[in-house]
Amino acid sequence: MSSNPTPSAEGKTFFGHPRGLFVLFFAEMWERFSFYGMRAILIFYLIQHWMFSDERAYGIYAAYGSLVYIAPVLGGYLADRYIGQRRAVQFGAILLTIGHGLMAFEGSGGQDSPLLNVFWLALAFIIMGVGFLKSSISVMVGQLYEPGDARRDPAFTIFYMGINLGAATGSLLAAWLGQTFGWAWGFGAAGIGMLLGLLVFLWGRPALLGRGEAPDQAALVRPVFGIRTEHWVYFWGLVGVVVVWFLIQYQHVVGGLLAACAVAVVAYFLYEAVWKLDRIARHRILAALFLIALQPLFWALFEQAGSSLNVYTDRHVDRSMLGWEVPAGMFQSINAMYIIALGPFFAALWLWLARRRLEPSTPAKFGLGLIQLGLGFFVLVWGANSTDGLTPVIFIFLIYLLHTMGELCLSPVGLSAMTKLSPSRLVGLMMGSWFLATAAGNYIAGAIAAATGGAGVGDDAVRQVMEVYSSVGWLAVIVGAAVILVSPLVARLMHQDEEQLRQDRALVGQGELGEPAAAGTDSRGETRGM
């Protein structure tokens, strides 16, 4: 007998939605507050406190970003197969709270400090915590609603707005505290945010009405070698912390792991497409692989935000606003703010164009996303070259604007496409592959950031950064234009006939802003709901 209540037993509602939605809203808002708060100052912490070179710091940051996207594949599998989403979120939140707590042990800094190992351990706990939490909390949002419930899509919009609210406020507060009063203040604020998220989730558990429980409660308590299955899962989660502790210190191993996984995944999909699928399903798999192949390029360039662009903002941008020099890390909040403002507009725009049969195809949207990404770099290059002194801060706002618009053309659209193009038995693997490609993009971002050099504050340093940004900008624009040119062919491989398109648009019409595009993305996740 299912432990999930029927719609009539969904309990009290709040603004027409189950109260459990707002428990998940605030829990995830605080989790994102902590995650993006730490992310806003992490690159500065590596360079200014632990005294890593720019190039090494970029590599560490890239490995961290990659592992954050690999871990949810494992965490999601363990939740689906063994412990359920509720326990996975709770365990992930505990790991995250421990990780953020360990960030407070900073010591005197420098690579000779024994506390550097505590820092690696803190990152490992945070990565594994994200792996368990992020892959499950969004699933629980969907579980609050029965199939066909018209409130489902608007619920995800509400949920994702909480994600972006947490990301924006976390970046602002942690960066201001960390870069004004000291690292412990910034990381402490992030840690308090994570603790609040855990407490909210524990306090609001009754409002979840049994959603997200283990698929087989009897199997969960069954002993294996004298230890309950549930406890084995937690044990292997802690073993994962140790593995990640090693990987985050040896970034080249992460690159090899990503390459091996990519080859294996592509080979498996091609095997399925050639030997097991019919013609239409085969075509759709090929179209999905084409879209996935664009992911590493997009995120490799987009994720300069937290590394080289963050450092450039700190060293080479006039950050004076209203007589106050804004800490560089606070500009990490701009992307989330733009998503809150532009997400509903893009969702409405696609619907308006669809009704007039003018909506670009999914691959064409990918091309537009890449072009806007490249244009963002061009705008910053122009701004840097237009003055002999520091780059005016307006150009930082402009590059984030264009990059966010590109993100809204690619990330939520791509996630939706993966669910439509995958055979039902391969949907989970396809989504895992999507995030694996995102992880690869984060790893490549480190190499691009390292190429900018970043040392010094003179004209030569600015010139080196702008040469790299100009090159990657041209690469994004050229690839984006090529994708648009071949988009009719890829769209035909997707086999989305008019009836299917009408059904998709009707679903969007239920909530107008209800498709994930209205919500925005989690850098990257993230859609931001990953």
Side-chain angles (χ1 to χ4, degrees), residues 132-451:
F132 276 93
L133 187 147
K134 287 298 295 176
S135 57
S136 296
I137 195 166
S138 295
V139 174
M140 293 186 70
V141 174
Q143 290 174 342
L144 291 172
Y145 301 88
E146 295 296 323
D149 192 328
R151 301 173 299 169
R152 182 187 181 95
D153 286 345
F156 272 99
T157 299
I158 294 171
F159 179 69
Y160 287 135
M161 294 297 278
I163 289 171
N164 287 288
L165 178 62
T169 55
S171 299
L172 287 171
L173 184 60
W176 174 62
L177 290 172
Q179 294 190 277
T180 303
F181 300 102
W183 305 115
W185 287 88
F187 291 126
I192 291 171
M194 189 59 250
L195 180 60
L196 288 173
L198 173 60
L199 293 176
V200 166
F201 189 78
L202 294 175
W203 169 79
R205 177 182 170 184
L208 300 176
L209 302 173
R211 263 60 168 189
E213 293 300 330
D216 187 344
Q217 292 284 356
L220 197 63
V221 299
R222 186 177 300 130
V224 178
F225 299 113
I227 301 175
R228 292 171 55 170
T229 299
E230 177 183 358
H231 295 159
W232 274 115
V233 172
Y234 301 148
F235 169 77
W236 288 114
L238 294 176
V239 170
V241 171
V242 177
V243 173
V244 172
W245 176 83
F246 169 80
L247 291 175
I248 197 68
Q249 297 178 67
Y250 299 95
Q251 297 85 41
H252 62 281
V253 179
V254 178
L257 177 64
L258 286 168
C261 290
V263 171
V265 166
V266 171
Y268 179 77
F269 276 127
L270 291 178
Y271 167 75
E272 288 280 343
V274 172
W275 296 104
K276 293 187 176 182
L277 300 177
D278 59 33
R279 185 180 67 88
I280 292 179
R282 182 185 310 119
H283 288 175
R284 287 176 173 168
I285 284 288
L286 294 175
L289 289 177
F290 176 83
L291 299 178
I292 289 174
L294 298 173
Q295 279 276 92
L297 172 61
F298 184 88
W299 295 115
L301 304 187
F302 186 95
E303 284 300 328
Q304 298 305 305
S307 56
S308 68
L309 183 56
N310 210 6
V311 171
Y312 182 84
T313 303
D314 183 59
R315 295 174 178 172
H316 306 295
V317 172
D318 180 3
R319 293 177 278 109
S320 297
M321 299 176 64
L322 302 177
W324 176 45
E325 187 173 49
V326 181
M330 294 183 70
F331 289 91
Q332 292 294 293
S333 65
I334 297 175
N335 173 244
M337 292 179 182
Y338 279 148
I339 285 177
I340 293 172
L342 296 176
F345 168 78
F346 269 77
L349 174 64
W350 299 140
L351 184 61
W352 184 84
L353 291 172
R355 287 172 174 168
R356 290 157 180 78
R357 299 181 180 274
L358 297 174
E359 183 183 13
S361 66
T362 295
K365 290 176 183 177
F366 271 55
L368 291 171
L370 285 166
I371 288 174
Q372 290 173 97
L373 186 68
L375 292 178
F377 285 112
F378 289 159
V379 164
L380 182 59
V381 171
W382 174 58
N385 293 334
S386 66
T387 178
D388 293 330
L390 296 173
T391 302
V393 72
I394 184 62
F395 293 101
I396 298 299
F397 283 91
L398 290 175
I399 186 175
Y400 280 119
L401 174 62
L402 285 162
H403 282 192
T404 302
M405 292 170 62
E407 179 186 2
L408 289 169
C409 286
L410 183 142
S411 185
V413 173
L415 285 167
S416 177
M418 293 303 104
T419 62
K420 296 175 185 176
L421 296 174
S422 306
S424 58
R425 63 187 179 87
L426 295 176
V427 171
L429 181 60
M430 186 67 77
M431 293 302 295
S433 302
W434 176 266
F435 290 121
L436 181 65
T438 304
N442 276 263
Y443 185 80
I444 298 169
I448 295 174

Side-chain angles (χ1 to χ4, degrees), residues 2-44:
S2 171
S3 62
N4 291 344
T6 61
S8 61
E10 71 174 11
K12 296 180 180 179
T13 61
F14 186 66
F15 287 108
H17 287 273
R19 290 188 300 172
L21 171 65
F22 298 94
V23 171
L24 299 175
F25 173 99
F26 285 108
E28 178 66 345
M29 182 193 75
W30 284 116
E31 187 275 328
R32 291 291 89 181
F33 175 98
S34 67
F35 181 84
Y36 279 95
M38 191 200 81
R39 177 181 180 270
I41 56 176
L42 179 58
I43 193 68
F44 301 125

